[in-house]
Every structure is written in structure tokens, then in C-alpha cells.
Amino acid sequence: MTFKASVLTLYPEMFPGPLGSALAGRALRDDKWQLETVQIRDFAPDKHRMVDDTPAGGSAGMVMKPDVVARALDSLEQDNRPRILMSPRGRPLTQDLVRELASGEGAVILCGRFEGVDERVIEARNLMEVSVGDYILSGGETGAIVLLDAIVRLIPGVMGNHESGETESFETGLLEHPHYTRPQEWEGRSIPAVLTSGNHKAVDQWRLEEAKRITRERRPDLWEAYQNRSK
Ligand code: SAH
């Protein structure tokens, strides 16, 4: 089974974009995952191809029309893939959610524009709102690219070195330890001696302590969750 992403957007030319390069791009060419785009405007019934209209109740901006968005969604094969709406009001994207999505058959991803999408289509088509962070993007497309990038690297066979996926920040509940590589000395700074000691146990211990220190200093929220998890 190949992970299949269907992205509904007014800007299909934004895809695959960055997902066409590097690991994700190679995996796409190797058919380890699939990507299709659907131009929402193709589902606007009137001759002006209108996809948005003014907000009920007044205010600035425009709202994506429920009938057009629903027709675009309904044009896809009805399968078990989750239907996601990129939305700043959504469930925050975390590595847990990424893992959950990556283990499924794929995802249908609706990219909002303007002020967003008519609430009724969110309800009627059971869309799961997902946010990539507490800031406002101009559209859902860049969020969808972030989401898919995070998912695709978890698909088996996509990442070269499998192990490097498992010690990554968030996979352990901690931010990652610092990394070093040659030269041994650079601008008067040395690689911590333990890392070149050849003592693997001491290296693991050092890395864990550093991961804890960095998490405690930078992300008290994650640190608290980590401590509760290991209780
Ligand atoms: N009026 C909305 C913002 C609309 S931004 C509000 O204040 O909440 C236009 C579109 O960009 C949204 O419909 C959504 O699809 C996308 N978008 C913006 N910020 C996002 C975020 N943080 N996460 C996911 N999608 C986002």
C-alpha cells in the first residue's frame, strides 16, 4: 500500500514544490508515496468560476463557498483516508499526529485561502482541522507541504538511515542533543572529549544528559510532559 496524498487547492502549481526535491522527491519518483492535486476552481459551477463570497454578517475578506469545496471533495474516491483542513484553529501538528497519519493509507488535504472555509462544509464532510503553529499563513498550501514533509520521511524506505529517525527530537519526548563533526578543533572550539573517547556507554549517557538539559532550558512544556511520562 502506497501513501496517497490528495491536495485540494486553488494553487496546484505550488505542488510538489519542495516535496519534489531531496528525500521526499526521490521517494515520490520511486512511487513510495503519491501526490495528486485537485484544482478547487474546476468545481465552481457558474461561468465566473467563483470559489469565494462575502462573509455572512459582514466584515473584510472572503469565505470559500461550501458547495464548491464539497463538490471538489466529493469528486475524489470515497475511501478511509482522513480528510484534513489546514487551519490555524486546528489540532496542533505534533510528531504523534504525524506518526498516526503516516501509518495510514494517505490523506486528503484541503488548503484554505481568504478568511477560510464556510463552517458547514467542515461539519458536513467531517474535516479534521490541523494547524502547523500559532501564526497565520496566507494559505493552507505551505502548511500542507510542512505536514506532508513530516509524514513522508516516516514512510518505510524513504529515510536512508533508519535509525536517525528514532533518536530525533520529539520521538523520545526530548529535544535532541548537540551534534559535532570534524574538524576536531574549529575556531578554538573542541568537540567534547567524551564523544571521541570511544566509550559508547559514556557517549549515550552524555547525549541523554544534554538532551534533558536543552529540553529543560528551552521547552519547559516538553520537559514537564517528559517527567510525567517516565513516572
Ligand atoms: N481568518 C483565519 C485565517 C485565514 S488564513 C483566522 O483568523 O483564523 C487562510 C488559510 O491559510 C486558512 O484557511 C488555512 O487553510 C491556512 N492557514 C493559515 N494559518 C495556518 C496555520 N497556522 N496552520 C494551518 N493552516 C493555516
Side-chain angles (χ1 to χ4, degrees), residues 20-173:
S21 295
L23 281 182
R26 182 178 317 150
L28 188 57
R29 287 188 292 279
D30 290 349
D31 211 37
K32 289 187 174 133
W33 69 291
Q34 294 172 354
L35 175 66
E36 70 172 352
T37 53
V38 175
Q39 169 56 275
I40 298 168
R41 201 172 292 281
D42 290 345
F43 297 88
D46 67 307
K47 72 171 196 284
H48 301 294
R49 304 258 138 213
M50 243 186 41
V51 294
D52 57 324
D53 207 337
T54 55
S59 82
M62 299 294 270
V63 177
M64 289 172 79
K65 289 163 63 61
D67 50 332
V68 177
V69 169
R71 286 183 65 201
L73 284 165
D74 296 348
S75 75
L76 297 171
E77 199 191 324
Q78 300 303 299
D79 51 27
N80 292 324
R81 292 180 298 165
R83 286 185 288 206
I84 294 168
L85 169 64
M86 301 313 301
S87 160
R89 302 185 317 187
R91 175 172 164 188
L93 183 61
T94 62
Q95 192 66 15
D96 284 339
L97 178 53
V98 169
R99 223 181 290 114
E100 186 182 315
L101 292 169
S103 68
E105 293 166 31
V108 174
I109 305 174
L110 173 61
C111 301
R113 280 276 156 178
F114 319 113
E115 293 312 312
V117 178
D118 187 300
E119 190 70 20
R120 292 168 294 179
V121 75
I122 303 176
E123 294 166 8
R125 292 299 180 273
N126 195 22
L127 304 182
M128 172 178 35
E129 295 181 65
V130 172
S131 166
V132 293
D134 292 342
Y135 41 79
I136 304 294
L137 300 168
S138 53
E141 289 79 6
T142 46
I145 288 168
V146 167
L147 174 61
L148 287 171
D149 181 305
I151 290 173
V152 166
R153 59 187 287 288
L154 295 187
I155 295 172
V158 171
M159 287 239 308
N161 177 359
H162 204 73
E163 216 216 345
S164 88
E166 284 157 18
T167 62
E168 219 98 45
S169 295
F170 306 118
E171 292 291 357
T172 55

Side-chain angles (χ1 to χ4, degrees), residues 147-213:
L147 174 61
L148 287 171
D149 181 305
I151 290 173
V152 166
R153 59 187 287 288
L154 295 187
I155 295 172
V158 171
M159 287 239 308
N161 177 359
H162 204 73
E163 216 216 345
S164 88
E166 284 157 18
T167 62
E168 219 98 45
S169 295
F170 306 118
E171 292 291 357
T172 55
L174 293 170
L175 299 177
E176 207 181 37
H177 56 78
H179 295 286
Y180 298 88
T181 188
R182 280 179 288 267
Q184 167 64 32
E185 181 146 336
W186 175 76
E187 293 194 350
R189 296 162 191 266
S190 303
I191 296 176
V194 59
L195 297 180
T196 48
S197 67
N199 182 341
H200 297 299
K201 230 178 135 183
V203 169
D204 287 348
Q205 189 58 32
W206 181 87
R207 286 182 170 161
L208 179 61
E209 289 311 316
E210 284 293 286
K212 287 182 179 173
R213 177 184 63 78

